Structure formats: C-alpha cells, structure tokens
PDB file of all heavy atoms in Angstrom:
ATOM      1  N   ARG A1107       0.839  -1.198   0.000  1.00 95.00           N
ATOM      2  CA  ARG A1107       0.000   0.000   0.000  1.00 95.00           C
ATOM      3  C   ARG A1107       0.877   1.252   0.000  1.00 95.00           C
ATOM      4  O   ARG A1107       0.573   2.229  -0.692  1.00 95.00           O
ATOM      5  CB  ARG A1107      -0.913   0.003   1.237  1.00 95.00           C
ATOM      6  CG  ARG A1107      -1.904   1.169   1.257  1.00 95.00           C
ATOM      7  CD  ARG A1107      -2.802   1.133   0.041  1.00 95.00           C
ATOM      8  NE  ARG A1107      -3.645   2.317  -0.089  1.00 95.00           N
ATOM      9  CZ  ARG A1107      -4.131   2.735  -1.246  1.00 95.00           C
ATOM     10  NH1 ARG A1107      -3.835   2.086  -2.361  1.00 95.00           N
ATOM     11  NH2 ARG A1107      -4.893   3.801  -1.302  1.00 95.00           N
ATOM     12  N   VAL A1108       1.972   1.207   0.766  1.00 96.00           N
ATOM     13  CA  VAL A1108       2.921   2.316   0.749  1.00 96.00           C
ATOM     14  C   VAL A1108       3.461   2.524  -0.664  1.00 96.00           C
ATOM     15  O   VAL A1108       3.547   3.665  -1.150  1.00 96.00           O
ATOM     16  CB  VAL A1108       4.081   2.052   1.735  1.00 96.00           C
ATOM     17  CG1 VAL A1108       5.204   3.067   1.531  1.00 96.00           C
ATOM     18  CG2 VAL A1108       3.577   2.107   3.171  1.00 96.00           C
ATOM     19  N   LYS A1109       3.809   1.444  -1.331  1.00 94.00           N
ATOM     20  CA  LYS A1109       4.342   1.566  -2.696  1.00 94.00           C
ATOM     21  C   LYS A1109       3.299   2.159  -3.636  1.00 94.00           C
ATOM     22  O   LYS A1109       3.616   3.026  -4.461  1.00 94.00           O
ATOM     23  CB  LYS A1109       4.799   0.209  -3.213  1.00 94.00           C
ATOM     24  CG  LYS A1109       5.467   0.278  -4.588  1.00 94.00           C
ATOM     25  CD  LYS A1109       5.972  -1.076  -5.033  1.00 94.00           C
ATOM     26  CE  LYS A1109       6.797  -0.952  -6.317  1.00 94.00           C
ATOM     27  NZ  LYS A1109       6.054  -0.323  -7.422  1.00 94.00           N
ATOM     28  N   ALA A1110       2.056   1.700  -3.521  1.00 94.00           N
ATOM     29  CA  ALA A1110       1.000   2.218  -4.386  1.00 94.00           C
ATOM     30  C   ALA A1110       0.803   3.716  -4.161  1.00 94.00           C
ATOM     31  O   ALA A1110       0.650   4.488  -5.124  1.00 94.00           O
ATOM     32  CB  ALA A1110      -0.304   1.467  -4.128  1.00 94.00           C
ATOM     33  N   LEU A1111       0.806   4.140  -2.905  1.00 95.00           N
ATOM     34  CA  LEU A1111       0.644   5.564  -2.599  1.00 95.00           C
ATOM     35  C   LEU A1111       1.849   6.368  -3.089  1.00 95.00           C
ATOM     36  O   LEU A1111       1.702   7.471  -3.633  1.00 95.00           O
ATOM     37  CB  LEU A1111       0.459   5.756  -1.092  1.00 95.00           C
ATOM     38  CG  LEU A1111      -0.829   5.183  -0.488  1.00 95.00           C
ATOM     39  CD1 LEU A1111      -0.745   5.179   1.038  1.00 95.00           C
ATOM     40  CD2 LEU A1111      -2.057   5.965  -0.950  1.00 95.00           C
ATOM     41  N   ALA A1112       3.042   5.808  -2.901  1.00 94.00           N
ATOM     42  CA  ALA A1112       4.260   6.520  -3.308  1.00 94.00           C
ATOM     43  C   ALA A1112       4.330   6.670  -4.824  1.00 94.00           C
ATOM     44  O   ALA A1112       4.777   7.713  -5.329  1.00 94.00           O
ATOM     45  CB  ALA A1112       5.491   5.782  -2.789  1.00 94.00           C
ATOM     46  N   ASP A1113       3.905   5.638  -5.549  1.00 92.00           N
ATOM     47  CA  ASP A1113       3.948   5.699  -7.011  1.00 92.00           C
ATOM     48  C   ASP A1113       3.082   6.832  -7.553  1.00 92.00           C
ATOM     49  O   ASP A1113       3.337   7.346  -8.650  1.00 92.00           O
ATOM     50  CB  ASP A1113       3.495   4.371  -7.613  1.00 92.00           C
ATOM     51  CG  ASP A1113       4.523   3.266  -7.428  1.00 92.00           C
ATOM     52  OD1 ASP A1113       5.678   3.585  -7.085  1.00 92.00           O
ATOM     53  OD2 ASP A1113       4.169   2.089  -7.612  1.00 92.00           O
ATOM     54  N   ALA A1114       2.049   7.210  -6.799  1.00 91.00           N
ATOM     55  CA  ALA A1114       1.136   8.258  -7.257  1.00 91.00           C
ATOM     56  C   ALA A1114       1.587   9.651  -6.840  1.00 91.00           C
ATOM     57  O   ALA A1114       0.965  10.649  -7.231  1.00 91.00           O
ATOM     58  CB  ALA A1114      -0.272   7.990  -6.716  1.00 91.00           C
ATOM     59  N   LEU A1115       2.680   9.727  -6.058  1.00 91.00           N
ATOM     60  CA  LEU A1115       3.142  11.022  -5.559  1.00 91.00           C
ATOM     61  C   LEU A1115       4.238  11.595  -6.448  1.00 91.00           C
ATOM     62  O   LEU A1115       5.112  10.858  -6.924  1.00 91.00           O
ATOM     63  CB  LEU A1115       3.688  10.886  -4.138  1.00 91.00           C
ATOM     64  CG  LEU A1115       2.682  10.612  -3.019  1.00 91.00           C
ATOM     65  CD1 LEU A1115       3.437  10.362  -1.711  1.00 91.00           C
ATOM     66  CD2 LEU A1115       1.714  11.772  -2.845  1.00 91.00           C
ATOM     67  N   PRO A1116       4.240  12.893  -6.635  1.00 87.00           N
ATOM     68  CA  PRO A1116       5.358  13.517  -7.346  1.00 87.00           C
ATOM     69  C   PRO A1116       6.583  13.587  -6.437  1.00 87.00           C
ATOM     70  O   PRO A1116       6.488  13.382  -5.226  1.00 87.00           O
ATOM     71  CB  PRO A1116       4.826  14.926  -7.653  1.00 87.00           C
ATOM     72  CG  PRO A1116       3.858  15.200  -6.534  1.00 87.00           C
ATOM     73  CD  PRO A1116       3.211  13.874  -6.220  1.00 87.00           C
ATOM     74  N   ALA A1117       7.716  13.860  -7.010  1.00 82.00           N
ATOM     75  CA  ALA A1117       8.935  14.033  -6.218  1.00 82.00           C
ATOM     76  C   ALA A1117       8.753  15.212  -5.270  1.00 82.00           C
ATOM     77  O   ALA A1117       8.083  16.191  -5.583  1.00 82.00           O
ATOM     78  CB  ALA A1117      10.125  14.270  -7.129  1.00 82.00           C
ATOM     79  N   SER A1118       9.341  15.104  -4.068  1.00 80.00           N
ATOM     80  CA  SER A1118       9.164  16.140  -3.057  1.00 80.00           C
ATOM     81  C   SER A1118      10.447  16.277  -2.259  1.00 80.00           C
ATOM     82  O   SER A1118      11.278  15.360  -2.205  1.00 80.00           O
ATOM     83  CB  SER A1118       7.997  15.787  -2.128  1.00 80.00           C
ATOM     84  OG  SER A1118       7.904  16.689  -1.051  1.00 80.00           O
ATOM     85  N   SER A1119      10.613  17.428  -1.643  1.00 79.00           N
ATOM     86  CA  SER A1119      11.807  17.662  -0.828  1.00 79.00           C
ATOM     87  C   SER A1119      11.755  16.921   0.497  1.00 79.00           C
ATOM     88  O   SER A1119      12.762  16.816   1.191  1.00 79.00           O
ATOM     89  CB  SER A1119      11.976  19.163  -0.569  1.00 79.00           C
ATOM     90  OG  SER A1119      10.828  19.670   0.108  1.00 79.00           O
ATOM     91  N   ARG A1120      10.584  16.430   0.857  1.00 89.00           N
ATOM     92  CA  ARG A1120      10.464  15.690   2.115  1.00 89.00           C
ATOM     93  C   ARG A1120       9.477  14.539   1.927  1.00 89.00           C
ATOM     94  O   ARG A1120       8.595  14.583   1.069  1.00 89.00           O
ATOM     95  CB  ARG A1120       9.968  16.601   3.245  1.00 89.00           C
ATOM     96  CG  ARG A1120       8.605  17.207   2.997  1.00 89.00           C
ATOM     97  CD  ARG A1120       8.147  18.021   4.198  1.00 89.00           C
ATOM     98  NE  ARG A1120       6.865  18.670   3.973  1.00 89.00           N
ATOM     99  CZ  ARG A1120       5.688  18.065   4.099  1.00 89.00           C
ATOM    100  NH1 ARG A1120       5.637  16.786   4.438  1.00 89.00           N
ATOM    101  NH2 ARG A1120       4.567  18.728   3.889  1.00 89.00           N
ATOM    102  N   PRO A1121       9.613  13.480   2.728  1.00 94.00           N
ATOM    103  CA  PRO A1121       8.674  12.356   2.620  1.00 94.00           C
ATOM    104  C   PRO A1121       7.240  12.789   2.910  1.00 94.00           C
ATOM    105  O   PRO A1121       6.996  13.581   3.826  1.00 94.00           O
ATOM    106  CB  PRO A1121       9.183  11.376   3.691  1.00 94.00           C
ATOM    107  CG  PRO A1121      10.617  11.735   3.877  1.00 94.00           C
ATOM    108  CD  PRO A1121      10.697  13.219   3.689  1.00 94.00           C
ATOM    109  N   GLN A1122       6.302  12.251   2.136  1.00 95.00           N
ATOM    110  CA  GLN A1122       4.895  12.585   2.318  1.00 95.00           C
ATOM    111  C   GLN A1122       4.077  11.411   2.852  1.00 95.00           C
ATOM    112  O   GLN A1122       2.861  11.514   2.996  1.00 95.00           O
ATOM    113  CB  GLN A1122       4.295  13.065   0.998  1.00 95.00           C
ATOM    114  CG  GLN A1122       4.958  14.342   0.483  1.00 95.00           C
ATOM    115  CD  GLN A1122       4.331  14.831  -0.798  1.00 95.00           C
ATOM    116  OE1 GLN A1122       3.143  15.149  -0.836  1.00 95.00           O
ATOM    117  NE2 GLN A1122       5.119  14.872  -1.863  1.00 95.00           N
ATOM    118  N   ILE A1123       4.752  10.287   3.110  1.00 97.00           N
ATOM    119  CA  ILE A1123       4.092   9.102   3.663  1.00 97.00           C
ATOM    120  C   ILE A1123       4.792   8.735   4.965  1.00 97.00           C
ATOM    121  O   ILE A1123       6.023   8.688   5.026  1.00 97.00           O
ATOM    122  CB  ILE A1123       4.154   7.906   2.695  1.00 97.00           C
ATOM    123  CG1 ILE A1123       3.502   8.249   1.359  1.00 97.00           C
ATOM    124  CG2 ILE A1123       3.476   6.678   3.313  1.00 97.00           C
ATOM    125  CD1 ILE A1123       3.714   7.195   0.297  1.00 97.00           C
ATOM    126  N   LEU A1124       4.013   8.459   5.993  1.00 97.00           N
ATOM    127  CA  LEU A1124       4.549   7.917   7.242  1.00 97.00           C
ATOM    128  C   LEU A1124       4.156   6.455   7.343  1.00 97.00           C
ATOM    129  O   LEU A1124       2.978   6.114   7.242  1.00 97.00           O
ATOM    130  CB  LEU A1124       3.997   8.683   8.445  1.00 97.00           C
ATOM    131  CG  LEU A1124       4.317   8.065   9.825  1.00 97.00           C
ATOM    132  CD1 LEU A1124       5.814   8.078  10.094  1.00 97.00           C
ATOM    133  CD2 LEU A1124       3.561   8.793  10.939  1.00 97.00           C
ATOM    134  N   LEU A1125       5.150   5.591   7.521  1.00 97.00           N
ATOM    135  CA  LEU A1125       4.921   4.177   7.818  1.00 97.00           C
ATOM    136  C   LEU A1125       5.398   3.951   9.237  1.00 97.00           C
ATOM    137  O   LEU A1125       6.587   4.134   9.541  1.00 97.00           O
ATOM    138  CB  LEU A1125       5.693   3.284   6.835  1.00 97.00           C
ATOM    139  CG  LEU A1125       5.692   1.776   7.127  1.00 97.00           C
ATOM    140  CD1 LEU A1125       4.277   1.206   7.142  1.00 97.00           C
ATOM    141  CD2 LEU A1125       6.559   1.035   6.110  1.00 97.00           C
ATOM    142  N   THR A1126       4.492   3.580  10.125  1.00 97.00           N
ATOM    143  CA  THR A1126       4.847   3.471  11.540  1.00 97.00           C
ATOM    144  C   THR A1126       4.377   2.151  12.133  1.00 97.00           C
ATOM    145  O   THR A1126       3.438   1.524  11.630  1.00 97.00           O
ATOM    146  CB  THR A1126       4.267   4.657  12.345  1.00 97.00           C
ATOM    147  OG1 THR A1126       4.776   4.617  13.685  1.00 97.00           O
ATOM    148  CG2 THR A1126       2.745   4.599  12.392  1.00 97.00           C
ATOM    149  N   THR A1127       5.051   1.745  13.200  1.00 94.00           N
ATOM    150  CA  THR A1127       4.701   0.534  13.931  1.00 94.00           C
ATOM    151  C   THR A1127       5.093   0.735  15.383  1.00 94.00           C
ATOM    152  O   THR A1127       5.537   1.820  15.769  1.00 94.00           O
ATOM    153  CB  THR A1127       5.391  -0.695  13.319  1.00 94.00           C
ATOM    154  OG1 THR A1127       4.879  -1.896  13.928  1.00 94.00           O
ATOM    155  CG2 THR A1127       6.904  -0.634  13.500  1.00 94.00           C
ATOM    156  N   TYR A1128       4.972  -0.306  16.206  1.00 88.00           N
ATOM    157  CA  TYR A1128       5.106  -0.115  17.648  1.00 88.00           C
ATOM    158  C   TYR A1128       6.554  -0.088  18.125  1.00 88.00           C
ATOM    159  O   TYR A1128       6.918   0.735  18.955  1.00 88.00           O
ATOM    160  CB  TYR A1128       4.333  -1.197  18.394  1.00 88.00           C
ATOM    161  CG  TYR A1128       4.118  -0.859  19.853  1.00 88.00           C
ATOM    162  CD1 TYR A1128       3.199   0.106  20.228  1.00 88.00           C
ATOM    163  CD2 TYR A1128       4.847  -1.490  20.852  1.00 88.00           C
ATOM    164  CE1 TYR A1128       2.999   0.444  21.560  1.00 88.00           C
ATOM    165  CE2 TYR A1128       4.652  -1.171  22.186  1.00 88.00           C
ATOM    166  CZ  TYR A1128       3.729  -0.203  22.538  1.00 88.00           C
ATOM    167  OH  TYR A1128       3.541   0.134  23.845  1.00 88.00           O
ATOM    168  N   THR A1129       7.401  -0.974  17.614  1.00 86.00           N
ATOM    169  CA  THR A1129       8.751  -1.106  18.178  1.00 86.00           C
ATOM    170  C   THR A1129       9.831  -0.738  17.174  1.00 86.00           C
ATOM    171  O   THR A1129       9.626  -0.736  15.960  1.00 86.00           O
ATOM    172  CB  THR A1129       9.014  -2.545  18.657  1.00 86.00           C
ATOM    173  OG1 THR A1129       9.067  -3.407  17.507  1.00 86.00           O
ATOM    174  CG2 THR A1129       7.921  -3.022  19.597  1.00 86.00           C
ATOM    175  N   ASN A1130      11.037  -0.473  17.709  1.00 87.00           N
ATOM    176  CA  ASN A1130      12.191  -0.195  16.858  1.00 87.00           C
ATOM    177  C   ASN A1130      12.527  -1.371  15.955  1.00 87.00           C
ATOM    178  O   ASN A1130      12.847  -1.196  14.775  1.00 87.00           O
ATOM    179  CB  ASN A1130      13.411   0.123  17.729  1.00 87.00           C
ATOM    180  CG  ASN A1130      13.538   1.608  18.026  1.00 87.00           C
ATOM    181  OD1 ASN A1130      13.269   2.439  17.181  1.00 87.00           O
ATOM    182  ND2 ASN A1130      13.950   1.927  19.242  1.00 87.00           N
ATOM    183  N   ALA A1131      12.488  -2.584  16.517  1.00 83.00           N
ATOM    184  CA  ALA A1131      12.858  -3.764  15.735  1.00 83.00           C
ATOM    185  C   ALA A1131      11.938  -3.937  14.535  1.00 83.00           C
ATOM    186  O   ALA A1131      12.391  -4.247  13.422  1.00 83.00           O
ATOM    187  CB  ALA A1131      12.812  -5.014  16.624  1.00 83.00           C
ATOM    188  N   LEU A1132      10.637  -3.724  14.735  1.00 86.00           N
ATOM    189  CA  LEU A1132       9.702  -3.866  13.629  1.00 86.00           C
ATOM    190  C   LEU A1132       9.876  -2.743  12.611  1.00 86.00           C
ATOM    191  O   LEU A1132       9.748  -2.963  11.405  1.00 86.00           O
ATOM    192  CB  LEU A1132       8.269  -3.899  14.157  1.00 86.00           C
ATOM    193  CG  LEU A1132       7.887  -5.150  14.949  1.00 86.00           C
ATOM    194  CD1 LEU A1132       6.465  -5.025  15.490  1.00 86.00           C
ATOM    195  CD2 LEU A1132       8.003  -6.401  14.090  1.00 86.00           C
ATOM    196  N   ALA A1133      10.175  -1.544  13.079  1.00 91.00           N
ATOM    197  CA  ALA A1133      10.417  -0.440  12.150  1.00 91.00           C
ATOM    198  C   ALA A1133      11.643  -0.724  11.281  1.00 91.00           C
ATOM    199  O   ALA A1133      11.634  -0.456  10.066  1.00 91.00           O
ATOM    200  CB  ALA A1133      10.592   0.867  12.916  1.00 91.00           C
ATOM    201  N   ASP A1134      12.693  -1.276  11.872  1.00 89.00           N
ATOM    202  CA  ASP A1134      13.889  -1.632  11.105  1.00 89.00           C
ATOM    203  C   ASP A1134      13.563  -2.697  10.060  1.00 89.00           C
ATOM    204  O   ASP A1134      14.054  -2.638   8.921  1.00 89.00           O
ATOM    205  CB  ASP A1134      14.992  -2.140  12.036  1.00 89.00           C
ATOM    206  CG  ASP A1134      15.551  -1.042  12.932  1.00 89.00           C
ATOM    207  OD1 ASP A1134      15.341   0.146  12.617  1.00 89.00           O
ATOM    208  OD2 ASP A1134      16.191  -1.378  13.951  1.00 89.00           O
ATOM    209  N   LEU A1135      12.741  -3.675  10.444  1.00 86.00           N
ATOM    210  CA  LEU A1135      12.350  -4.720   9.498  1.00 86.00           C
ATOM    211  C   LEU A1135      11.549  -4.124   8.341  1.00 86.00           C
ATOM    212  O   LEU A1135      11.787  -4.456   7.167  1.00 86.00           O
ATOM    213  CB  LEU A1135      11.522  -5.787  10.218  1.00 86.00           C
ATOM    214  CG  LEU A1135      10.936  -6.897   9.335  1.00 86.00           C
ATOM    215  CD1 LEU A1135      12.042  -7.682   8.647  1.00 86.00           C
ATOM    216  CD2 LEU A1135      10.045  -7.824  10.160  1.00 86.00           C
ATOM    217  N   LEU A1136      10.610  -3.236   8.646  1.00 90.00           N
ATOM    218  CA  LEU A1136       9.817  -2.596   7.592  1.00 90.00           C
ATOM    219  C   LEU A1136      10.711  -1.814   6.639  1.00 90.00           C
ATOM    220  O   LEU A1136      10.483  -1.816   5.419  1.00 90.00           O
ATOM    221  CB  LEU A1136       8.771  -1.669   8.213  1.00 90.00           C
ATOM    222  CG  LEU A1136       7.630  -2.326   8.991  1.00 90.00           C
ATOM    223  CD1 LEU A1136       6.736  -1.261   9.616  1.00 90.00           C
ATOM    224  CD2 LEU A1136       6.808  -3.241   8.099  1.00 90.00           C
ATOM    225  N   ALA A1137      11.721  -1.147   7.167  1.00 92.00           N
ATOM    226  CA  ALA A1137      12.636  -0.375   6.323  1.00 92.00           C
ATOM    227  C   ALA A1137      13.373  -1.283   5.347  1.00 92.00           C
ATOM    228  O   ALA A1137      13.511  -0.960   4.158  1.00 92.00           O
ATOM    229  CB  ALA A1137      13.621   0.399   7.191  1.00 92.00           C
ATOM    230  N   ARG A1138      13.834  -2.433   5.838  1.00 88.00           N
ATOM    231  CA  ARG A1138      14.550  -3.366   4.950  1.00 88.00           C
ATOM    232  C   ARG A1138      13.617  -3.928   3.882  1.00 88.00           C
ATOM    233  O   ARG A1138      13.981  -4.018   2.707  1.00 88.00           O
ATOM    234  CB  ARG A1138      15.163  -4.503   5.775  1.00 88.00           C
ATOM    235  CG  ARG A1138      16.299  -4.054   6.692  1.00 88.00           C
ATOM    236  CD  ARG A1138      17.100  -5.250   7.187  1.00 88.00           C
ATOM    237  NE  ARG A1138      16.289  -6.179   7.967  1.00 88.00           N
ATOM    238  CZ  ARG A1138      16.091  -6.085   9.266  1.00 88.00           C
ATOM    239  NH1 ARG A1138      16.621  -5.083   9.951  1.00 88.00           N
ATOM    240  NH2 ARG A1138      15.361  -6.986   9.906  1.00 88.00           N
ATOM    241  N   LEU A1139      12.416  -4.302   4.281  1.00 87.00           N
ATOM    242  CA  LEU A1139      11.475  -4.883   3.332  1.00 87.00           C
ATOM    243  C   LEU A1139      11.037  -3.863   2.282  1.00 87.00           C
ATOM    244  O   LEU A1139      10.899  -4.198   1.103  1.00 87.00           O
ATOM    245  CB  LEU A1139      10.252  -5.434   4.080  1.00 87.00           C
ATOM    246  CG  LEU A1139      10.504  -6.633   4.990  1.00 87.00           C
ATOM    247  CD1 LEU A1139       9.243  -6.977   5.784  1.00 87.00           C
ATOM    248  CD2 LEU A1139      10.955  -7.841   4.180  1.00 87.00           C
ATOM    249  N   LEU A1140      10.820  -2.630   2.713  1.00 90.00           N
ATOM    250  CA  LEU A1140      10.395  -1.607   1.761  1.00 90.00           C
ATOM    251  C   LEU A1140      11.519  -1.301   0.775  1.00 90.00           C
ATOM    252  O   LEU A1140      11.262  -1.079  -0.417  1.00 90.00           O
ATOM    253  CB  LEU A1140       9.972  -0.342   2.507  1.00 90.00           C
ATOM    254  CG  LEU A1140       9.154   0.663   1.677  1.00 90.00           C
ATOM    255  CD1 LEU A1140       7.810   0.056   1.282  1.00 90.00           C
ATOM    256  CD2 LEU A1140       8.924   1.944   2.456  1.00 90.00           C
ATOM    257  N   ASP A1141      12.750  -1.313   1.247  1.00 89.00           N
ATOM    258  CA  ASP A1141      13.882  -1.108   0.353  1.00 89.00           C
ATOM    259  C   ASP A1141      13.969  -2.239  -0.671  1.00 89.00           C
ATOM    260  O   ASP A1141      14.241  -2.008  -1.856  1.00 89.00           O
ATOM    261  CB  ASP A1141      15.175  -1.012   1.159  1.00 89.00           C
ATOM    262  CG  ASP A1141      16.372  -0.656   0.287  1.00 89.00           C
ATOM    263  OD1 ASP A1141      16.343   0.407  -0.367  1.00 89.00           O
ATOM    264  OD2 ASP A1141      17.325  -1.448   0.242  1.00 89.00           O
ATOM    265  N   ASP A1142      13.719  -3.476  -0.229  1.00 82.00           N
ATOM    266  CA  ASP A1142      13.700  -4.608  -1.161  1.00 82.00           C
ATOM    267  C   ASP A1142      12.596  -4.440  -2.201  1.00 82.00           C
ATOM    268  O   ASP A1142      12.751  -4.831  -3.365  1.00 82.00           O
ATOM    269  CB  ASP A1142      13.480  -5.922  -0.400  1.00 82.00           C
ATOM    270  CG  ASP A1142      14.687  -6.336   0.429  1.00 82.00           C
ATOM    271  OD1 ASP A1142      15.787  -5.799   0.176  1.00 82.00           O
ATOM    272  OD2 ASP A1142      14.522  -7.178   1.333  1.00 82.00           O
ATOM    273  N   LEU A1143      11.490  -3.864  -1.784  1.00 83.00           N
ATOM    274  CA  LEU A1143      10.334  -3.746  -2.663  1.00 83.00           C
ATOM    275  C   LEU A1143      10.521  -2.669  -3.720  1.00 83.00           C
ATOM    276  O   LEU A1143      10.109  -2.843  -4.869  1.00 83.00           O
ATOM    277  CB  LEU A1143       9.082  -3.440  -1.837  1.00 83.00           C
ATOM    278  CG  LEU A1143       7.734  -3.416  -2.562  1.00 83.00           C
ATOM    279  CD1 LEU A1143       7.443  -4.775  -3.190  1.00 83.00           C
ATOM    280  CD2 LEU A1143       6.625  -3.037  -1.589  1.00 83.00           C
ATOM    281  N   GLY A1144      11.154  -1.544  -3.361  1.00 85.00           N
ATOM    282  CA  GLY A1144      11.225  -0.454  -4.327  1.00 85.00           C
ATOM    283  C   GLY A1144      12.511   0.320  -4.369  1.00 85.00           C
ATOM    284  O   GLY A1144      12.656   1.222  -5.202  1.00 85.00           O
ATOM    285  N   GLY A1145      13.450   0.013  -3.479  1.00 87.00           N
ATOM    286  CA  GLY A1145      14.730   0.684  -3.507  1.00 87.00           C
ATOM    287  C   GLY A1145      14.653   2.141  -3.078  1.00 87.00           C
ATOM    288  O   GLY A1145      13.647   2.617  -2.555  1.00 87.00           O
ATOM    289  N   PRO A1146      15.734   2.895  -3.316  1.00 90.00           N
ATOM    290  CA  PRO A1146      15.818   4.288  -2.847  1.00 90.00           C
ATOM    291  C   PRO A1146      14.730   5.199  -3.398  1.00 90.00           C
ATOM    292  O   PRO A1146      14.309   6.134  -2.708  1.00 90.00           O
ATOM    293  CB  PRO A1146      17.207   4.724  -3.335  1.00 90.00           C
ATOM    294  CG  PRO A1146      17.977   3.461  -3.511  1.00 90.00           C
ATOM    295  CD  PRO A1146      16.982   2.438  -3.944  1.00 90.00           C
ATOM    296  N   ASP A1147      14.285   4.962  -4.627  1.00 91.00           N
ATOM    297  CA  ASP A1147      13.240   5.819  -5.192  1.00 91.00           C
ATOM    298  C   ASP A1147      11.952   5.735  -4.380  1.00 91.00           C
ATOM    299  O   ASP A1147      11.212   6.723  -4.276  1.00 91.00           O
ATOM    300  CB  ASP A1147      12.951   5.414  -6.646  1.00 91.00           C
ATOM    301  CG  ASP A1147      14.098   5.765  -7.579  1.00 91.00           C
ATOM    302  OD1 ASP A1147      14.945   6.586  -7.183  1.00 91.00           O
ATOM    303  OD2 ASP A1147      14.149   5.210  -8.695  1.00 91.00           O
ATOM    304  N   LEU A1148      11.701   4.570  -3.802  1.00 93.00           N
ATOM    305  CA  LEU A1148      10.514   4.398  -2.969  1.00 93.00           C
ATOM    306  C   LEU A1148      10.757   4.926  -1.559  1.00 93.00           C
ATOM    307  O   LEU A1148       9.964   5.721  -1.029  1.00 93.00           O
ATOM    308  CB  LEU A1148      10.121   2.913  -2.914  1.00 93.00           C
ATOM    309  CG  LEU A1148       9.009   2.528  -1.931  1.00 93.00           C
ATOM    310  CD1 LEU A1148       7.736   3.320  -2.196  1.00 93.00           C
ATOM    311  CD2 LEU A1148       8.734   1.024  -2.015  1.00 93.00           C
ATOM    312  N   THR A1149      11.846   4.520  -0.936  1.00 93.00           N
ATOM    313  CA  THR A1149      12.070   4.881   0.464  1.00 93.00           C
ATOM    314  C   THR A1149      12.296   6.385   0.642  1.00 93.00           C
ATOM    315  O   THR A1149      12.077   6.913   1.737  1.00 93.00           O
ATOM    316  CB  THR A1149      13.267   4.105   1.042  1.00 93.00           C
ATOM    317  OG1 THR A1149      14.424   4.343   0.223  1.00 93.00           O
ATOM    318  CG2 THR A1149      12.987   2.608   1.064  1.00 93.00           C
ATOM    319  N   ALA A1150      12.705   7.093  -0.422  1.00 93.00           N
ATOM    320  CA  ALA A1150      12.883   8.539  -0.319  1.00 93.00           C
ATOM    321  C   ALA A1150      11.570   9.261  -0.087  1.00 93.00           C
ATOM    322  O   ALA A1150      11.566  10.403   0.393  1.00 93.00           O
ATOM    323  CB  ALA A1150      13.547   9.074  -1.587  1.00 93.00           C
ATOM    324  N   LYS A1151      10.461   8.616  -0.394  1.00 95.00           N
ATOM    325  CA  LYS A1151       9.151   9.243  -0.230  1.00 95.00           C
ATOM    326  C   LYS A1151       8.482   8.875   1.090  1.00 95.00           C
ATOM    327  O   LYS A1151       7.349   9.272   1.343  1.00 95.00           O
ATOM    328  CB  LYS A1151       8.231   8.838  -1.387  1.00 95.00           C
ATOM    329  CG  LYS A1151       8.698   9.318  -2.753  1.00 95.00           C
ATOM    330  CD  LYS A1151       7.726   8.887  -3.845  1.00 95.00           C
ATOM    331  CE  LYS A1151       8.152   9.398  -5.211  1.00 95.00           C
ATOM    332  NZ  LYS A1151       7.194   8.996  -6.274  1.00 95.00           N
ATOM    333  N   VAL A1152       9.183   8.087   1.927  1.00 96.00           N
ATOM    334  CA  VAL A1152       8.557   7.512   3.118  1.00 96.00           C
ATOM    335  C   VAL A1152       9.415   7.733   4.357  1.00 96.00           C
ATOM    336  O   VAL A1152      10.626   7.505   4.330  1.00 96.00           O
ATOM    337  CB  VAL A1152       8.325   5.987   2.934  1.00 96.00           C
ATOM    338  CG1 VAL A1152       7.505   5.435   4.093  1.00 96.00           C
ATOM    339  CG2 VAL A1152       7.648   5.682   1.597  1.00 96.00           C
TER     340      VAL A1152
END
C-alpha cells in the first residue's frame, strides 16, 4: 500500500508518507522490506 501511494506522488523535498509501527525492531524490518520492494526511489518518499 505504501508503494501504491508513493507511485502516485510527485517528487518532493520531504517524505509525504509515514509508515509506523510499535517497536524499533519492527520499524527496522519494515525499512529493509520496503527497500527490497522499491529501492531508494521508494524509500525517499517515506
């Protein structure tokens, strides 16, 4: 869903999507998975 929302967004000077969860460990896991899914072009928007 993050990828779908990001694909529809224009380039911006700051991220326009927040992806959040409860713990640091889960946030780190989400960051790795999102990078696998779309690389820097995706994670720059989040």
Side-chain angles (χ1 to χ4, degrees):
R1107 185 60 188 155
V1108 169
K1109 185 177 188 303
L1111 294 168
D1113 288 346
L1115 290 174
S1118 173
S1119 59
R1120 61 176 177 81
Q1122 298 182 61
I1123 302 171
L1124 171 64
L1125 173 60
T1126 188
T1127 188
Y1128 195 74
T1129 68
N1130 269 322
L1132 291 177
D1134 292 342
L1135 175 61
L1136 291 176
R1138 292 195 299 272
L1139 293 174
L1140 196 65
D1141 186 58
D1142 289 343
L1143 186 61
D1147 290 343
L1148 172 56
T1149 56
K1151 296 181 178 181
V1152 188

